Amino acid sequence: MDDYSPREKISLPFFGIPKLFPFLKPYRATIAIMVFMGFLSSLIDSIYPMFNRYALDHFVGSMTLQGMGPFLVIYFLILAFQCVINYRSMFGAGKVEMSVDRDLRNAAFNHLQTLSFSYFNQNSVGYVHARVMSDTGKIGEAVSWRMMDCVWNGAYILFAIIIMLIIDFKLALWILLLMAAAVVLITLFQRKLVNLNRHIRELNSTITGDFNEGIVGARSIKLLGIEDKMQKEFEEDTEKMRRVSVHTARVNAFLISAVAMMSSAALAIVLWQGQGLTRDAVLKIGTLSVFMSYALGMIEPLQTIIQNISVFIAIQVNIERLTRLLAEPADVADTPEVTQKYGDSFHPKKENWEELKGDVTFEDVTFRYPDGEEYIMEHFDLHVPAGTNVAIVGETGAGKSTLVSLVCRFYEPTKGRVLIDGRDARERSQLWLHSNLGYVLQTPHLFSGSVRDNLRYGKSDASDEEIMEALRMVRADGIVERMGGLDAEVGEGGSSLSTGEKQLLSIARALLADPALLVLDEATSSIDTLTEKALQDAIAVVTKGRTAFVIAHRLSTITGADIILVVDDGKIVEHGTHAGLMKEKGKYYALYTKQFRQETTADALG
């Protein structure tokens, strides 16, 4: 989807091409051959009228077929040579387009893997998708086929003008004068068409958004009874697009007619000026045919060049947006020294990785989100010995997820330090930490593929027996058996499973990795009460002997935690065991009893 914004700045043609040089450099030989072949092809196209001139003057004018054999041989040899040239140039253009498109997409996708969570919080999926797919595709087409069009058509016009000036300077000037008028006319209309097409793309984006909202929000629309309102808004947007599209078609039709008229006018000028010269024997019939061919054949290449220049002007926005994405710095990044020792996410040096034991310490940590203004956490201190099962509870927005995000190094502290096994987390690579981390999100996500493929993201070389054991531990083996076994497809995003089933498979995936650090971010919130007891038993087994942070939605699931932290406004206001906190009758007691009453009431009503 093209999300062009009229506020975005448009620069001059080719101005942004230098930013693409690193991606074009590997294919400079292919591009050079492509351009050279384009010049050769246009040169041959421009001399075909000279063959007609020779045939008319020599064979028709002299009424003889002498020399026809060699003439045809040369003609067909040149024709065959041009076929080879065209094949090579078109193959080169296709190779450049696909290669540059692939390299740009790979570079964008790989860079996205290095960016921090804050980037994805600030930019929508649609925006990022457009950069990786739409912008790269347009750039790939522009630096290949569009460039090829400009080369061929520009060279053809140049060669044709040179030939005309050599043959008859005065008649050539008449053609050039008409071409100048054609340039002005086509440029004005092309600019109008560019603006109209941008408007159409904007309206198309709006309609796509309306359509998506109508599908995704279908339930809410029906519950609110606003079908008529949604239909009216959709019809208004489609009617706007129809009006603009009709107007665009009218302008385009006028331009095509004007170009045809220009070609006819050029032909008329040639006939008007040439008939007298031919009559006076100053100009031969063959020469007149050359001018007629060029008069008819030069206007369309001229229009194509102007259209492609408009494309190159518009493509500057795509280049700017893509290069801005590639230059986007990560909020969380390893230092060069750390990368040199431990490697990066794509080239790890695992031989230098130390064993992670799981001792975690917060030292005077103050934090606010990169796109936020208020501090979420201030002067926070905490020590979690290795092997401790820590439960974190609190109201929504209290700072529970912030605490574990800092442990996992999804964000860096604004001030202070987070120590892992006694060393600043920034002294080791992110991949080292994340490879020792098991994280189960509140909103589960499964990748397209089989059950086996999804669980092996936790451990790539896991055997089927190990996978089934992990599934049994969370009582998810029955789900997989009903699906048809480990080869069963989970669907896009796990669409063939319920939320609770996806959550169980996500937990099994984390357990299979056998991480030193385990984080359960309200992982049991989507599990029904029948499954909850079995899951509690499984978590108790798996968390034993390793450091675990459990953000609890249901407080009944964390009563056996080694320590419970009650977070409020980014600060730990209470800490202790379940029994101890219940005796204090403070905030934890209030939260627990409130939830207990709600669950009891729900059970009674259910």
Side-chain angles (χ1 to χ4, degrees):
M1 183 180 70
D2 192 330
D3 58 351
Y4 170 81
S5 169
R7 294 188 298 273
E8 294 188 84
K9 194 174 182 179
I10 302 295
S11 54
L12 295 174
F14 309 103
F15 184 79
I17 295 295
K19 296 180 180 179
L20 300 176
F21 282 169
F23 297 97
L24 299 178
K25 187 177 179 181
Y27 312 105
R28 57 187 182 277
T30 304
I31 294 173
I33 294 172
M34 178 184 79
V35 171
F36 179 68
M37 293 298 179
F39 270 108
L40 280 182
S41 181
S42 61
L43 175 61
I44 293 172
D45 277 333
S46 66
I47 64 175
Y48 276 135
M50 301 302 291
F51 280 91
N52 297 337
R53 176 194 186 193
Y54 181 85
L56 286 171
D57 291 344
H58 184 74
F59 299 123
V60 178
S62 302
M63 300 295 288
T64 179
L65 293 179
Q66 185 179 0
M68 176 65 77
F71 174 84
L72 290 176
V73 169
I74 293 172
Y75 184 87
F76 283 112
L77 282 175
I78 291 177
L79 184 62
F81 180 60
Q82 188 183 31
C83 287
V84 174
I85 289 173
N86 286 341
Y87 165 78
R88 190 64 186 83
S89 61
M90 292 176 70
F91 172 76
K95 181 179 178 181
V96 169
E97 179 189 19
M98 295 298 105
S99 300
V100 171
D101 191 9
R102 177 202 62 192
D103 293 350
L104 287 172
R105 286 178 179 175
N106 285 345
F109 185 83
N110 289 344
H111 186 63
L112 284 170
Q113 308 309 303
T114 69
L115 294 181
S116 311
F117 280 13
S118 59
Y119 178 82
F120 300 97
N121 290 339
Q122 297 172 48
N123 296 281
S124 67
V125 173
Y127 175 86
V128 176
H129 184 272
R131 301 297 75 74
V132 177
M133 300 304 294
S134 178
D135 286 353
T136 55
K138 290 176 182 177
I139 292 169
E141 180 194 14
V143 299
S144 54
W145 296 107
R146 298 288 182 177
M147 182 186 296
M148 194 68 202
D149 274 351
C150 288
V151 169
W152 186 92
N153 289 290
Y156 176 82
I157 292 173
L158 176 64
F159 292 139
I161 290 173
I162 292 173
I163 293 171
M164 286 192 299
L165 289 172
I166 292 173
I167 294 175
D168 190 290
F169 187 81
K170 182 179 178 182
L171 192 54
L173 288 180
W174 279 102
I175 302 298
L176 291 176
L177 184 63
L178 186 64
M179 283 186 63
V183 168
V184 174
L185 178 68
I186 295 171
T187 301
L188 290 175
F189 275 88
Q190 190 61 37
R191 185 178 299 170
K192 177 71 172 176
L193 285 171
V194 167
N195 290 330
L196 286 171
N197 281 314
R198 285 174 183 160
H199 193 190
I200 288 174
R201 290 198 296 270
E202 292 170 16
L203 290 171
N204 185 62
S205 297
T206 302
I207 291 171
T208 302
D210 291 343
F211 193 74
N212 182 68
E213 191 173 70
I215 295 173
V216 176
R219 179 177 296 181
S220 298
I221 291 170
K222 291 183 180 298
L223 290 173
L224 294 170
I226 56 173
E227 291 92 340
D228 57 337
K229 180 178 181 296
M230 299 299 292
Q231 182 183 10
K232 183 179 179 181
E233 290 178 357
F234 190 80
E235 288 179 351
E236 287 175 354
D237 289 335
T238 54
E239 175 58 22
K240 287 179 186 176
M241 186 168 179
R242 186 199 69 83
R243 289 199 304 268
V244 177
S245 298
V246 169
H247 182 52
T248 303
R250 184 184 297 114
V251 174
N252 194 50
F254 188 87
L255 177 59
I256 292 173
S257 301
V259 169
M261 184 189 71
M262 287 288 186
S263 298
S264 300
L267 181 60
I269 289 174
V270 170
L271 292 173
W272 170 49
Q273 291 291 316
Q275 57 88 22
L277 297 173
T278 305
R279 184 187 61 222
D280 298 336
V282 175
L283 198 68
K284 292 184 177 181
I285 293 295
T287 303
L288 182 62
S289 73
V290 171
F291 276 88
M292 291 172 63
S293 296
Y294 290 143
L296 289 171
M298 289 178 64
I299 301 297
E300 185 176 346
L302 187 65
Q303 183 184 10
T304 301
I305 290 174
I306 294 173
Q307 287 175 342
N308 284 325
I309 288 176
S310 298
V311 171
F312 276 109
I313 291 174
I315 211 72
Q316 305 308 306
V317 173
N318 303 96
I319 295 173
E320 183 62 33
R321 292 188 303 203
L322 182 64
T323 53
R324 191 163 58 236
L325 166 61
L326 294 174
E328 184 75 29
D331 293 322
V332 179
D334 294 331
T335 64
E337 294 77 16
V338 168
T339 301
Q340 184 177 5
K341 180 178 180 180
Y342 295 98
D344 58 25
S345 297
F346 304 104
H347 307 93
K349 297 179 180 179
K350 294 187 178 182
E351 64 275 10
N352 295 330
W353 288 8
E354 298 92 350
E355 179 186 1
L356 193 151
K357 298 176 181 178
D359 188 273
V360 178
T361 304
F362 285 76
E363 281 190 357
D364 194 30
V365 171
T366 296
F367 175 76
R368 69 179 176 191
Y369 287 104
D371 56 336
E373 296 181 357
E374 296 183 359
Y375 287 110
I376 306 299
M377 185 180 292
E378 293 185 83
H379 305 294
F380 182 78
D381 293 290
L382 174 68
H383 178 230
V384 178
T388 304
N389 186 348
V390 181
I392 307 168
V393 302
E395 301 285 359
T396 300
K400 304 186 299 295
S401 294
T402 301
L403 191 150
V404 295
S405 292
L406 290 169
V407 172
C408 301
R409 210 181 162 202
F410 296 152
Y411 297 97
E412 302 280 32
T414 307
K415 298 176 184 178
R417 300 190 303 167
V418 176
L419 308 180
I420 305 293
D421 293 345
R423 289 177 58 185
D424 193 322
R426 288 169 287 202
E427 294 179 8
R428 295 189 178 108
S429 71
Q430 296 177 70
L431 186 61
W432 169 81
L433 177 59
H434 296 162
S435 296
N436 287 282
L437 174 68
Y439 200 116
V440 180
L441 297 165
Q442 178 182 2
T443 304
H445 178 79
L446 297 179
F447 299 93
S448 298
S450 68
V451 174
R452 180 187 291 105
D453 293 337
N454 267 277
L455 266 71
R456 279 183 175 166
Y457 280 111
K459 183 181 180 183
S460 59
D461 59 348
S463 66
D464 286 358
E465 290 73 19
E466 290 176 307
I467 292 173
M468 290 305 301
E469 179 61 26
L471 290 168
R472 279 190 288 270
M473 290 182 70
V474 298
R475 305 292 176 89
D477 51 324
I479 296 171
V480 175
E481 288 175 6
R482 288 195 299 272
M483 293 175 64
L486 295 177
D487 291 320
E489 296 289 319
V490 301
E492 184 178 357
S495 58
S496 63
L497 300 168
S498 69
T499 303
E501 290 171 337
K502 287 189 288 185
Q503 192 65 281
L504 285 171
L505 292 184
S506 297
I507 293 172
R509 181 171 60 194
L511 303 185
L512 189 64
D514 191 26
L517 281 172
L518 181 65
V519 177
L520 302 178
D521 190 349
E522 300 196 24
T524 61
S525 61
S526 300
I527 304 300
D528 58 76
T529 52
L530 293 176
T531 310
E532 183 179 323
K533 180 62 172 67
L535 187 59
Q536 279 183 268
D537 295 340
I539 291 176
V541 172
V542 176
T543 55
K544 187 176 182 180
R546 60 166 54 88
T547 307
F549 291 86
V550 181
I551 298 177
H553 172 73
R554 293 179 179 173
L555 301 186
S556 57
T557 63
I558 49 90
T559 54
D562 296 326
I563 183 171
I564 297 173
L565 304 178
V566 183
V567 181
D568 185 32
D569 197 23
K571 298 178 178 62
I572 296 177
V573 294
E574 293 178 3
H575 65 89
T577 63
H578 170 73
L581 292 173
M582 291 297 288
K583 288 180 181 178
E584 292 180 10
K585 294 190 176 182
K587 191 170 185 64
Y588 177 80
Y589 176 85
L591 289 170
Y592 188 87
T593 52
K594 177 183 177 182
Q595 190 175 104
F596 180 77
R597 284 195 299 270
Q598 289 173 343
E599 291 178 357
T600 302
T601 302
D603 290 340
L605 293 174

